[in-house]
Amino acid sequence: MHTRDLSTHDVYEAGRGIEEVARELGREPDEFVKLASNENPHGPSPNAVEALRATADEVNSYPKAVHADLTDALAERWGVDAAQIWLSAGGDGAIDYLSRATLEPGDSVLVPEPGFAYYGMSARYHHGTVETYELSKASDFEQNAETVLSAYDGQRVVYLTSPHNPAGSTASLADIERIAAETHDRTLVVVDEAYGEYADANSAVALLDGRDGFDARDDVAVVRTFSKAYGLAGLRLGYAIVPADWADAYARVNTPFAVSVPACRAGLAALSDDEHVERSVETARWAREYLADEVDAPVRTGEGNFVLVDVGDAGVVASRLRERGIIVRDCTSFGLPSCIRVTCGTEAETKRAAATLNEVLASVDAERDGRPEVSDA
Ligand SMILES: *Cc1c(COP(=O)(O)O)cnc(C)c1O
């Protein structure tokens, strides 16, 4: 007995955790700062924490009413029908539901390269295949309609990430509209807005809804998550906003009770804490600028809660940062072996990251020039 052929399936490489790195280096966890997974350095909203505590003795019940409450609150926030909100286990779960709702065996999806690995993984789980469009470093990872349309060849689903991970670039609503208009009627354009709160750009929900001067479309879906600006990554809570005529599809693709009672309650509480989101966004904006100003290497700031830094040899720089207590994301697995992605931390964490990165860059430079490494003990 064996599994089906999984040899073409990728394995998701998560940013490494503090415990894991501390154990490997034989050090204490509190010596480390983790800026590797774009988590919220301010933690969850205090309202969400309180809601989680209060919910502990309710978890013998399946989430029904509370699921409806969160769906209604999100529908109201976005000005769409409740049936257009598909709650899921993280944004990743929403991607799975969209795969289930669209892909027939052998259908293909078009994804950005470099880009978020889960789009392709989800397509393959659902017996689909994966093709890519390139966002090039040479053109600053610019996202426009031509780039996507020139690679488009009838795929069932086209993924856009705005702001993009790991580059931070955004796609304008005019470009997204053009992509949706010039692809086949049966092609769904999925706009992944996992970092939407951090960006200046408007949400692509405007296209679904026919707001802001756009015609209403039935071929765009938006993915959002509570993992980033809301600081609830550990709860696994996200959702898709889907076209109005897909109303009855959710019940046909949804894992029963996919979102837990605590997740629903915490999500509701977090939604009503605008102050926490605003503070999180403000810190990220400050940190992006700070890193761009202070780091002695090219920094692409973008519109997420992270920056992309061109450090030369990402493997070497990431491992030296780790030895000095800073965990960042080596972007080699994204196909960017010269880049690291640094999550925006608190003010203190960000300052420490910039100073430490500069030490590491100087030590690498000194070695390359044949000078003895400057002691930085
Ligand atoms: C973080 C992230 C997501 C969603 O993550 P979840 O924790 O599953 O909500 C989706 N897309 C991108 C590009 C991300 O970086």
Side-chain angles (χ1 to χ4, degrees):
M1 201 3 238
H2 45 72
T3 67
R4 70 175 163 115
D5 179 9
L6 301 173
S7 58
T8 62
H9 288 214
D10 297 322
V11 175
Y12 187 80
E13 281 187 50
R16 309 181 53 200
I18 286 182
E19 290 287 341
E20 187 191 351
V21 172
R23 241 171 259 164
E24 183 188 305
L25 297 177
R27 306 245 300 266
E28 291 303 316
D30 62 7
E31 293 172 41
F32 292 87
V33 174
K34 185 186 175 204
L35 302 174
S37 297
N38 299 342
E39 290 149 339
N40 190 327
H42 295 305
S45 148
N47 297 2
V49 174
E50 201 179 304
L52 280 172
R53 292 219 167 90
T55 209
D57 56 10
E58 261 185 75
V59 295
N60 57 316
S61 302
Y62 283 111
K64 265 210 102 167
V66 69
H67 198 280
D69 290 346
L70 178 56
T71 300
D72 288 345
L74 287 166
E76 191 182 316
R77 162 149 312 208
W78 290 107
V80 298
D81 290 339
Q84 290 177 264
I85 303 284
W86 290 9
L87 293 184
S88 53
D92 297 346
I95 291 165
D96 277 340
Y97 290 159
L98 294 173
S99 297
R100 288 186 201 174
T102 54
L103 299 181
E104 301 281 358
D107 276 347
S108 62
V109 303
L110 187 65
V111 306
E113 175 72 52
F116 189 58
Y118 199 69
Y119 310 140
M121 293 169 64
S122 178
R124 290 188 180 104
Y125 298 158
H126 296 89
H127 304 275
T129 61
V130 184
E131 279 135 28
T132 59
Y133 62 91
E134 192 196 352
L135 297 179
S136 80
K137 193 166 149 221
S139 54
D140 201 27
F141 304 101
E142 190 196 333
Q143 301 197 55
N144 56 45
E146 283 82 40
T147 308
V148 176
L149 291 171
S150 64
Y152 173 74
D153 186 25
Q155 285 85 0
R156 183 70 164 92
V157 181
V158 172
Y159 280 97
L160 304 174
T161 319
S162 185
H164 182 267
N165 176 10
S169 62
T170 53
S172 73
L173 294 194
D175 278 294
I176 298 169
E177 182 187 46
R178 205 185 129 200
I179 292 165
E182 294 188 20
T183 49
H184 199 277
D185 287 347
R186 72 187 283 279
T187 294
L188 177 72
V189 177
V190 176
V191 187
D192 178 352
E193 298 182 342
Y195 302 97
E197 290 82 4
Y198 298 102
D200 278 328
N202 287 333
S203 169
V205 174
L207 299 178
L208 256 137
D209 214 42
R211 253 177 263 161
D212 302 340
F214 292 103
D215 292 332
R217 306 201 62 88
D218 64 359
D219 55 357
V220 174
V222 175
V223 170
R224 307 280 300 205
T225 179
F226 283 82
S227 293
K228 309 284 161 55
Y230 289 95
L232 298 176
L235 272 184
R236 315 305 303 127
L237 180 60
Y239 56 102
I241 307 169
V242 304
D245 9 327
W246 287 26
D248 69 342
Y250 183 50
R252 296 171 195 272
V253 298
N254 176 14
T255 306
F257 309 110
V259 179
S260 69
V261 173
C264 289
R265 287 243 186 273
L268 272 166
L271 259 190
S272 63
D273 188 355
D274 290 333
E275 208 179 299
H276 180 262
V277 174
E278 278 163 25
R279 176 163 169 248
S280 304
V281 169
E282 246 167 60
T283 305
R285 291 190 176 167
W286 168 84
R288 291 189 314 227
E289 293 314 311
Y290 182 85
L291 291 164
D293 289 345
E294 297 297 323
V295 169
D296 301 327
V299 173
R300 193 184 193 294
T301 49
E303 300 209 41
N305 64 341
F306 54 86
V307 301
L308 192 66
V309 190
D310 201 336
V311 293
D313 186 332
V316 168
V317 170
S319 99
R320 289 196 187 177
L321 280 170
R322 206 155 50 234
E323 286 158 15
R324 290 165 163 84
I326 309 282
I327 308 171
V328 299
R329 181 70 190 255
D330 170 355
C331 289
T332 304
S333 69
F334 282 105
L336 299 170
S338 74
C339 295
I340 58 171
R341 191 191 64 198
V342 184
T343 301
C344 298
T346 60
E347 194 173 315
E349 289 168 346
T350 302
K351 287 182 171 169
R352 181 176 156 200
T356 310
L357 177 53
N358 284 342
E359 281 169 24
V360 167
L361 290 169
S363 75
V364 171
D365 270 359
E367 276 165 47
R368 197 193 42 220
D369 299 347
R371 283 179 275 136
E373 188 179 347
V374 207
S375 163
D376 52 16

Short mmCIF file of all heavy atoms in Angstrom, two decimals, residues 199-261:
data_model
loop_
_atom_site.label_atom_id
_atom_site.label_comp_id
_atom_site.label_asym_id
_atom_site.label_seq_id
_atom_site.Cartn_x
_atom_site.Cartn_y
_atom_site.Cartn_z
N ALA A 199 -0.62 48.03 2.60
CA ALA A 199 -0.41 48.73 1.32
C ALA A 199 -1.30 49.97 1.22
O ALA A 199 -2.34 50.06 1.87
CB ALA A 199 -0.71 47.79 0.17
N ASP A 200 -0.86 50.89 0.36
CA ASP A 200 -1.69 52.06 0.08
C ASP A 200 -2.81 51.71 -0.91
O ASP A 200 -3.85 52.37 -0.93
CB ASP A 200 -0.83 53.18 -0.53
CG ASP A 200 -0.11 53.95 0.58
OD1 ASP A 200 -0.69 54.05 1.67
OD2 ASP A 200 1.00 54.42 0.34
N ALA A 201 -2.56 50.67 -1.71
CA ALA A 201 -3.48 50.34 -2.81
C ALA A 201 -4.85 49.91 -2.30
O ALA A 201 -4.98 49.36 -1.21
CB ALA A 201 -2.87 49.22 -3.64
N ASN A 202 -5.89 50.15 -3.11
CA ASN A 202 -7.23 49.67 -2.78
C ASN A 202 -7.35 48.18 -3.04
O ASN A 202 -6.65 47.63 -3.88
CB ASN A 202 -8.28 50.39 -3.64
CG ASN A 202 -8.46 51.81 -3.20
OD1 ASN A 202 -8.23 52.15 -2.04
ND2 ASN A 202 -8.84 52.66 -4.14
N SER A 203 -8.26 47.54 -2.33
CA SER A 203 -8.47 46.10 -2.52
C SER A 203 -9.14 45.82 -3.85
O SER A 203 -9.97 46.58 -4.33
CB SER A 203 -9.35 45.58 -1.39
OG SER A 203 -9.77 44.26 -1.70
N ALA A 204 -8.79 44.66 -4.42
CA ALA A 204 -9.42 44.21 -5.67
C ALA A 204 -10.88 43.81 -5.46
O ALA A 204 -11.58 43.48 -6.43
CB ALA A 204 -8.63 43.06 -6.27
N VAL A 205 -11.37 43.85 -4.23
CA VAL A 205 -12.81 43.63 -4.00
C VAL A 205 -13.62 44.64 -4.80
O VAL A 205 -14.75 44.35 -5.23
CB VAL A 205 -13.15 43.71 -2.49
CG1 VAL A 205 -14.65 43.63 -2.26
CG2 VAL A 205 -12.46 42.57 -1.73
N ALA A 206 -13.03 45.81 -5.06
CA ALA A 206 -13.72 46.83 -5.88
C ALA A 206 -14.09 46.28 -7.26
O ALA A 206 -15.11 46.68 -7.83
CB ALA A 206 -12.82 48.07 -6.03
N LEU A 207 -13.29 45.35 -7.79
CA LEU A 207 -13.57 44.79 -9.12
C LEU A 207 -14.72 43.80 -9.07
O LEU A 207 -15.52 43.68 -10.01
CB LEU A 207 -12.34 44.08 -9.67
CG LEU A 207 -11.09 44.93 -9.89
CD1 LEU A 207 -9.95 44.06 -10.39
CD2 LEU A 207 -11.38 46.03 -10.89
N LEU A 208 -14.80 43.06 -7.99
CA LEU A 208 -15.86 42.07 -7.82
C LEU A 208 -17.21 42.74 -7.71
O LEU A 208 -18.24 42.19 -8.05
CB LEU A 208 -15.62 41.37 -6.48
CG LEU A 208 -15.04 40.01 -6.48
CD1 LEU A 208 -14.01 39.90 -5.41
CD2 LEU A 208 -16.16 39.06 -6.21
N ASP A 209 -17.11 43.91 -7.15
CA ASP A 209 -18.28 44.58 -6.67
C ASP A 209 -18.74 45.70 -7.60
O ASP A 209 -19.81 46.23 -7.44
CB ASP A 209 -17.86 45.18 -5.33
CG ASP A 209 -18.98 45.20 -4.37
OD1 ASP A 209 -19.69 44.20 -4.34
OD2 ASP A 209 -19.15 46.22 -3.68
N GLY A 210 -17.85 46.06 -8.55
CA GLY A 210 -18.17 47.17 -9.44
C GLY A 210 -18.19 48.50 -8.72
O GLY A 210 -19.09 49.32 -8.90
N ARG A 211 -17.20 48.70 -7.85
CA ARG A 211 -17.08 49.97 -7.13
C ARG A 211 -16.02 50.85 -7.78
O ARG A 211 -15.27 50.38 -8.63
CB ARG A 211 -16.61 49.68 -5.70
CG ARG A 211 -17.68 49.87 -4.66
CD ARG A 211 -17.12 49.48 -3.31
NE ARG A 211 -17.48 48.11 -2.96
CZ ARG A 211 -16.86 47.40 -2.03
NH1 ARG A 211 -15.83 47.90 -1.37
NH2 ARG A 211 -17.24 46.18 -1.75
N ASP A 212 -15.91 52.08 -7.33
CA ASP A 212 -14.83 52.98 -7.76
C ASP A 212 -14.70 53.07 -9.27
O ASP A 212 -13.60 53.13 -9.82
CB ASP A 212 -13.47 52.53 -7.17
CG ASP A 212 -13.52 52.46 -5.66
OD1 ASP A 212 -14.41 53.10 -5.06
OD2 ASP A 212 -12.67 51.76 -5.07
N GLY A 213 -15.84 53.06 -9.98
CA GLY A 213 -15.78 53.24 -11.43
C GLY A 213 -15.49 51.98 -12.22
O GLY A 213 -15.40 52.02 -13.44
N PHE A 214 -15.33 50.83 -11.55
CA PHE A 214 -15.10 49.58 -12.28
C PHE A 214 -16.43 48.89 -12.54
O PHE A 214 -17.38 49.03 -11.77
CB PHE A 214 -14.19 48.64 -11.47
CG PHE A 214 -12.79 49.13 -11.33
CD1 PHE A 214 -12.35 49.72 -10.14
CD2 PHE A 214 -11.89 49.03 -12.39
CE1 PHE A 214 -11.06 50.19 -10.02
CE2 PHE A 214 -10.60 49.49 -12.26
CZ PHE A 214 -10.18 50.07 -11.08
N ASP A 215 -16.50 48.11 -13.66
CA ASP A 215 -17.67 47.27 -13.89
C ASP A 215 -17.57 46.05 -12.97
O ASP A 215 -16.48 45.55 -12.74
CB ASP A 215 -17.70 46.77 -15.35
CG ASP A 215 -17.95 47.92 -16.31
OD1 ASP A 215 -18.60 48.90 -15.88
OD2 ASP A 215 -17.49 47.83 -17.46
N ALA A 216 -18.71 45.58 -12.48
CA ALA A 216 -18.70 44.40 -11.61
C ALA A 216 -18.26 43.18 -12.42
O ALA A 216 -18.72 42.98 -13.54
CB ALA A 216 -20.08 44.17 -11.02
N ARG A 217 -17.35 42.37 -11.85
CA ARG A 217 -16.83 41.20 -12.57
C ARG A 217 -17.21 39.92 -11.84
O ARG A 217 -17.35 39.92 -10.62
CB ARG A 217 -15.30 41.27 -12.67
CG ARG A 217 -14.73 42.54 -13.25
CD ARG A 217 -13.33 42.29 -13.75
NE ARG A 217 -13.34 41.30 -14.79
CZ ARG A 217 -13.50 41.58 -16.09
NH1 ARG A 217 -13.61 42.83 -16.49
NH2 ARG A 217 -13.53 40.60 -16.97
N ASP A 218 -17.31 38.83 -12.62
CA ASP A 218 -17.62 37.54 -11.98
C ASP A 218 -16.45 36.58 -12.10
O ASP A 218 -16.59 35.38 -11.97
CB ASP A 218 -18.87 36.93 -12.61
CG ASP A 218 -18.65 36.60 -14.08
OD1 ASP A 218 -17.55 36.85 -14.61
OD2 ASP A 218 -19.58 36.06 -14.70
N ASP A 219 -15.25 37.12 -12.40
CA ASP A 219 -14.10 36.24 -12.63
C ASP A 219 -12.89 36.65 -11.78
O ASP A 219 -11.74 36.41 -12.16
CB ASP A 219 -13.73 36.24 -14.12
CG ASP A 219 -13.47 37.64 -14.67
OD1 ASP A 219 -13.63 38.63 -13.91
OD2 ASP A 219 -13.11 37.77 -15.86
N VAL A 220 -13.16 37.30 -10.66
CA VAL A 220 -12.09 37.71 -9.74
C VAL A 220 -12.45 37.23 -8.34
O VAL A 220 -13.61 37.31 -7.93
CB VAL A 220 -11.92 39.26 -9.73
CG1 VAL A 220 -10.92 39.70 -8.67
CG2 VAL A 220 -11.50 39.78 -11.11
N ALA A 221 -11.46 36.71 -7.62
CA ALA A 221 -11.64 36.38 -6.20
C ALA A 221 -10.46 36.98 -5.44
O ALA A 221 -9.38 37.16 -5.99
CB ALA A 221 -11.70 34.87 -6.00
N VAL A 222 -10.69 37.31 -4.18
CA VAL A 222 -9.66 37.93 -3.35
C VAL A 222 -9.41 37.04 -2.13
O VAL A 222 -10.36 36.50 -1.56
CB VAL A 222 -10.12 39.34 -2.90
CG1 VAL A 222 -9.12 39.96 -1.93
CG2 VAL A 222 -10.31 40.25 -4.12
N VAL A 223 -8.14 36.87 -1.78
CA VAL A 223 -7.79 36.09 -0.58
C VAL A 223 -7.26 37.05 0.48
O VAL A 223 -6.41 37.91 0.18
CB VAL A 223 -6.71 35.03 -0.91
CG1 VAL A 223 -6.16 34.38 0.37
CG2 VAL A 223 -7.29 33.96 -1.84
N ARG A 224 -7.77 36.94 1.70
CA ARG A 224 -7.29 37.75 2.82
C ARG A 224 -7.00 36.84 4.01
O ARG A 224 -7.49 35.72 4.08
CB ARG A 224 -8.33 38.80 3.26
CG ARG A 224 -8.89 39.69 2.18
CD ARG A 224 -8.00 40.86 1.79
NE ARG A 224 -7.67 41.79 2.83
CZ ARG A 224 -7.32 43.09 2.61
NH1 ARG A 224 -7.32 43.59 1.38
NH2 ARG A 224 -6.97 43.86 3.59
N THR A 225 -6.25 37.34 4.97
CA THR A 225 -5.88 36.51 6.11
C THR A 225 -5.83 37.32 7.41
O THR A 225 -5.62 38.54 7.36
CB THR A 225 -4.52 35.84 5.88
OG1 THR A 225 -4.18 35.05 7.03
CG2 THR A 225 -3.40 36.86 5.66
N PHE A 226 -6.01 36.64 8.52
CA PHE A 226 -5.80 37.26 9.84
C PHE A 226 -4.38 36.98 10.35
O PHE A 226 -4.06 37.32 11.48
CB PHE A 226 -6.82 36.71 10.85
CG PHE A 226 -8.20 37.28 10.70
CD1 PHE A 226 -9.09 36.79 9.76
CD2 PHE A 226 -8.61 38.34 11.49
CE1 PHE A 226 -10.37 37.32 9.60
CE2 PHE A 226 -9.89 38.89 11.37
CZ PHE A 226 -10.77 38.38 10.42
N SER A 227 -3.54 36.36 9.52
CA SER A 227 -2.21 35.95 9.99
C SER A 227 -1.21 37.08 10.08
O SER A 227 -0.23 36.98 10.82
CB SER A 227 -1.62 34.89 9.04
OG SER A 227 -2.35 33.70 9.11
N LYS A 228 -1.39 38.15 9.33
CA LYS A 228 -0.34 39.16 9.23
C LYS A 228 -0.70 40.39 10.07
O LYS A 228 -0.36 40.45 11.23
CB LYS A 228 -0.08 39.49 7.75
CG LYS A 228 0.15 38.24 6.87
CD LYS A 228 1.52 37.63 7.05
CE LYS A 228 1.71 36.19 6.61
NZ LYS A 228 1.39 35.80 5.27
N ALA A 229 -1.45 41.34 9.51
CA ALA A 229 -1.71 42.57 10.26
C ALA A 229 -2.53 42.32 11.53
O ALA A 229 -2.42 43.06 12.50
CB ALA A 229 -2.43 43.58 9.36
N TYR A 230 -3.35 41.27 11.54
CA TYR A 230 -4.16 40.99 12.72
C TYR A 230 -3.42 40.16 13.77
O TYR A 230 -3.93 39.95 14.88
CB TYR A 230 -5.48 40.30 12.33
CG TYR A 230 -6.43 41.24 11.63
CD1 TYR A 230 -6.49 41.32 10.24
CD2 TYR A 230 -7.25 42.10 12.36
CE1 TYR A 230 -7.35 42.21 9.61
CE2 TYR A 230 -8.10 42.99 11.74
CZ TYR A 230 -8.15 43.04 10.36
OH TYR A 230 -8.99 43.92 9.74
N GLY A 231 -2.25 39.65 13.40
CA GLY A 231 -1.42 38.96 14.39
C GLY A 231 -1.98 37.64 14.89
O GLY A 231 -1.75 37.26 16.04
N LEU A 232 -2.73 36.92 14.03
CA LEU A 232 -3.34 35.66 14.49
C LEU A 232 -2.86 34.45 13.69
O LEU A 232 -3.60 33.49 13.48
CB LEU A 232 -4.88 35.77 14.39
CG LEU A 232 -5.54 36.86 15.25
CD1 LEU A 232 -7.05 36.91 14.98
CD2 LEU A 232 -5.29 36.61 16.74
N ALA A 233 -1.59 34.49 13.28
CA ALA A 233 -1.07 33.41 12.42
C ALA A 233 -1.25 32.03 13.04
O ALA A 233 -1.54 31.05 12.35
CB ALA A 233 0.41 33.65 12.10
N GLY A 234 -1.09 31.94 14.37
CA GLY A 234 -1.18 30.65 15.03
C GLY A 234 -2.58 30.07 15.08
O GLY A 234 -2.76 28.88 15.33
N LEU A 235 -3.59 30.90 14.84
CA LEU A 235 -4.98 30.41 14.90
C LEU A 235 -5.44 29.80 13.59
O LEU A 235 -6.40 29.06 13.57
CB LEU A 235 -5.93 31.56 15.23
CG LEU A 235 -6.20 31.86 16.68
CD1 LEU A 235 -7.25 32.97 16.75
CD2 LEU A 235 -6.70 30.64 17.41
N ARG A 236 -4.79 30.17 12.48
CA ARG A 236 -5.16 29.72 11.13
C ARG A 236 -6.56 30.23 10.76
O ARG A 236 -7.54 29.50 10.79
CB ARG A 236 -5.12 28.17 11.01
CG ARG A 236 -3.89 27.50 11.61
CD ARG A 236 -2.58 28.07 11.05
NE ARG A 236 -2.52 27.96 9.59
CZ ARG A 236 -2.25 29.00 8.79
NH1 ARG A 236 -2.00 30.20 9.29
NH2 ARG A 236 -2.19 28.81 7.50
N LEU A 237 -6.63 31.49 10.44
CA LEU A 237 -7.91 32.08 10.05
C LEU A 237 -7.72 32.99 8.83
O LEU A 237 -6.90 33.92 8.86
CB LEU A 237 -8.48 32.89 11.22
CG LEU A 237 -9.82 33.60 10.96
CD1 LEU A 237 -10.93 32.61 10.62
CD2 LEU A 237 -10.23 34.43 12.18
N GLY A 238 -8.45 32.70 7.78
CA GLY A 238 -8.41 33.52 6.57
C GLY A 238 -9.74 33.38 5.85
O GLY A 238 -10.68 32.77 6.36
N TYR A 239 -9.83 33.96 4.66
CA TYR A 239 -11.06 33.82 3.88
C TYR A 239 -10.83 34.24 2.44
O TYR A 239 -9.88 34.96 2.14
CB TYR A 239 -12.21 34.65 4.48
CG TYR A 239 -11.92 36.14 4.67
CD1 TYR A 239 -12.42 37.09 3.78
CD2 TYR A 239 -11.15 36.58 5.74
CE1 TYR A 239 -12.17 38.44 3.96
CE2 TYR A 239 -10.89 37.94 5.93
CZ TYR A 239 -11.40 38.85 5.04
OH TYR A 239 -11.13 40.19 5.23
N ALA A 240 -11.71 33.75 1.58
CA ALA A 240 -11.76 34.23 0.20
C ALA A 240 -13.02 35.07 0.06
O ALA A 240 -14.02 34.84 0.75
CB ALA A 240 -11.81 33.06 -0.77
N ILE A 241 -12.96 36.08 -0.81
CA ILE A 241 -14.15 36.83 -1.19
C ILE A 241 -14.38 36.46 -2.66
O ILE A 241 -13.51 36.70 -3.51
CB ILE A 241 -13.93 38.35 -1.03
CG1 ILE A 241 -13.44 38.64 0.40
CG2 ILE A 241 -15.23 39.11 -1.33
CD1 ILE A 241 -12.95 40.06 0.59
N VAL A 242 -15.52 35.82 -2.94
CA VAL A 242 -15.73 35.20 -4.25
C VAL A 242 -16.84 35.91 -5.02
O VAL A 242 -17.62 36.67 -4.43
CB VAL A 242 -16.05 33.69 -4.09
CG1 VAL A 242 -14.96 32.98 -3.31
CG2 VAL A 242 -17.42 33.50 -3.44
N PRO A 243 -16.94 35.65 -6.33
CA PRO A 243 -18.00 36.28 -7.14
C PRO A 243 -19.39 35.94 -6.61
O PRO A 243 -19.61 34.86 -6.05
CB PRO A 243 -17.80 35.66 -8.53
CG PRO A 243 -16.37 35.23 -8.57
CD PRO A 243 -16.03 34.82 -7.17
N ALA A 244 -20.32 36.86 -6.82
CA ALA A 244 -21.67 36.72 -6.27
C ALA A 244 -22.36 35.43 -6.72
O ALA A 244 -23.05 34.78 -5.95
CB ALA A 244 -22.52 37.94 -6.65
N ASP A 245 -22.13 35.00 -7.98
CA ASP A 245 -22.86 33.79 -8.42
C ASP A 245 -22.25 32.49 -7.91
O ASP A 245 -22.73 31.43 -8.25
CB ASP A 245 -23.04 33.67 -9.95
CG ASP A 245 -22.29 34.66 -10.76
OD1 ASP A 245 -22.15 35.77 -10.26
OD2 ASP A 245 -21.88 34.33 -11.90
N TRP A 246 -21.25 32.58 -7.08
CA TRP A 246 -20.69 31.33 -6.52
C TRP A 246 -21.34 30.99 -5.19
O TRP A 246 -20.85 30.13 -4.45
CB TRP A 246 -19.20 31.50 -6.28
CG TRP A 246 -18.37 31.51 -7.50
CD1 TRP A 246 -18.75 31.88 -8.75
CD2 TRP A 246 -16.99 31.14 -7.58
NE1 TRP A 246 -17.69 31.77 -9.61
CE2 TRP A 246 -16.60 31.33 -8.91
CE3 TRP A 246 -16.06 30.71 -6.65
CZ2 TRP A 246 -15.31 31.07 -9.34
CZ3 TRP A 246 -14.77 30.45 -7.07
CH2 TRP A 246 -14.40 30.63 -8.42
N ALA A 247 -22.42 31.67 -4.89
CA ALA A 247 -23.02 31.59 -3.56
C ALA A 247 -23.13 30.17 -3.02
O ALA A 247 -22.82 29.91 -1.87
CB ALA A 247 -24.39 32.25 -3.56
N ASP A 248 -23.58 29.22 -3.83
CA ASP A 248 -23.85 27.89 -3.27
C ASP A 248 -22.63 26.97 -3.31
O ASP A 248 -22.69 25.84 -2.86
CB ASP A 248 -25.04 27.25 -3.96
CG ASP A 248 -24.71 26.88 -5.41
OD1 ASP A 248 -23.72 27.42 -5.95
OD2 ASP A 248 -25.42 26.05 -5.99
N ALA A 249 -21.51 27.45 -3.84
CA ALA A 249 -20.36 26.54 -4.01
C ALA A 249 -19.63 26.25 -2.70
O ALA A 249 -19.07 25.16 -2.52
CB ALA A 249 -19.39 27.11 -5.04
N TYR A 250 -19.64 27.20 -1.77
CA TYR A 250 -18.87 27.03 -0.54
C TYR A 250 -19.27 25.74 0.18
O TYR A 250 -18.41 24.93 0.56
CB TYR A 250 -19.09 28.24 0.38
CG TYR A 250 -18.31 28.25 1.67
CD1 TYR A 250 -16.93 28.03 1.67
CD2 TYR A 250 -18.94 28.53 2.89
CE1 TYR A 250 -16.20 28.06 2.86
CE2 TYR A 250 -18.22 28.57 4.08
CZ TYR A 250 -16.85 28.34 4.06
OH TYR A 250 -16.14 28.39 5.23
N ALA A 251 -20.57 25.53 0.31
CA ALA A 251 -21.06 24.34 1.02
C ALA A 251 -20.62 23.05 0.32
O ALA A 251 -20.59 21.99 0.93
CB ALA A 251 -22.57 24.39 1.13
N ARG A 252 -20.27 23.16 -0.95
CA ARG A 252 -19.89 21.96 -1.71
C ARG A 252 -18.38 21.69 -1.68
O ARG A 252 -17.93 20.64 -2.13
CB ARG A 252 -20.34 22.10 -3.17
CG ARG A 252 -21.84 22.17 -3.30
CD ARG A 252 -22.27 22.52 -4.73
NE ARG A 252 -23.66 22.92 -4.75
CZ ARG A 252 -24.67 22.05 -4.89
NH1 ARG A 252 -24.44 20.77 -5.05
NH2 ARG A 252 -25.91 22.49 -4.87
N VAL A 253 -17.60 22.66 -1.22
CA VAL A 253 -16.14 22.44 -1.19
C VAL A 253 -15.54 22.57 0.20
O VAL A 253 -14.40 22.19 0.45
CB VAL A 253 -15.39 23.44 -2.12
CG1 VAL A 253 -15.81 23.26 -3.57
CG2 VAL A 253 -15.58 24.89 -1.68
N ASN A 254 -16.34 23.08 1.13
CA ASN A 254 -15.86 23.41 2.46
C ASN A 254 -15.63 22.16 3.31
O ASN A 254 -16.47 21.27 3.33
CB ASN A 254 -16.97 24.29 3.09
CG ASN A 254 -16.72 24.66 4.51
OD1 ASN A 254 -15.61 24.52 5.01
ND2 ASN A 254 -17.75 25.15 5.17
N THR A 255 -14.51 22.10 4.00
CA THR A 255 -14.35 21.08 5.04
C THR A 255 -15.35 21.45 6.14
O THR A 255 -15.33 22.60 6.59
CB THR A 255 -12.93 21.15 5.63
OG1 THR A 255 -11.99 21.06 4.57
CG2 THR A 255 -12.70 20.05 6.65
N PRO A 256 -16.21 20.53 6.58
CA PRO A 256 -17.19 20.94 7.60
C PRO A 256 -16.49 21.58 8.80
O PRO A 256 -15.51 21.05 9.30
CB PRO A 256 -17.85 19.61 7.99
CG PRO A 256 -17.65 18.73 6.80
CD PRO A 256 -16.34 19.12 6.20
N PHE A 257 -17.00 22.72 9.23
CA PHE A 257 -16.47 23.42 10.41
C PHE A 257 -14.96 23.67 10.31
O PHE A 257 -14.20 23.38 11.23
CB PHE A 257 -16.78 22.62 11.69
CG PHE A 257 -18.21 22.23 11.80
CD1 PHE A 257 -18.60 20.90 11.66
CD2 PHE A 257 -19.19 23.19 12.03
CE1 PHE A 257 -19.94 20.54 11.75
CE2 PHE A 257 -20.53 22.83 12.14
CZ PHE A 257 -20.90 21.49 11.99
N ALA A 258 -14.53 24.20 9.17
CA ALA A 258 -13.10 24.38 8.92
C ALA A 258 -12.47 25.38 9.89
O ALA A 258 -11.27 25.33 10.14
CB ALA A 258 -12.88 24.84 7.49
N VAL A 259 -13.27 26.32 10.38
CA VAL A 259 -12.71 27.36 11.25
C VAL A 259 -13.23 27.12 12.67
O VAL A 259 -14.43 26.96 12.89
CB VAL A 259 -13.12 28.75 10.74
CG1 VAL A 259 -12.57 29.83 11.65
CG2 VAL A 259 -12.63 28.95 9.31
N SER A 260 -12.32 27.10 13.63
CA SER A 260 -12.69 26.73 15.00
C SER A 260 -13.45 27.83 15.73
O SER A 260 -13.41 29.00 15.33
CB SER A 260 -11.42 26.38 15.79
OG SER A 260 -10.67 27.56 16.01
N VAL A 261 -14.11 27.45 16.82
CA VAL A 261 -14.80 28.45 17.66
C VAL A 261 -13.81 29.53 18.15
O VAL A 261 -14.09 30.72 18.00
CB VAL A 261 -15.52 27.76 18.85
CG1 VAL A 261 -16.07 28.80 19.82
CG2 VAL A 261 -16.63 26.85 18.35
#
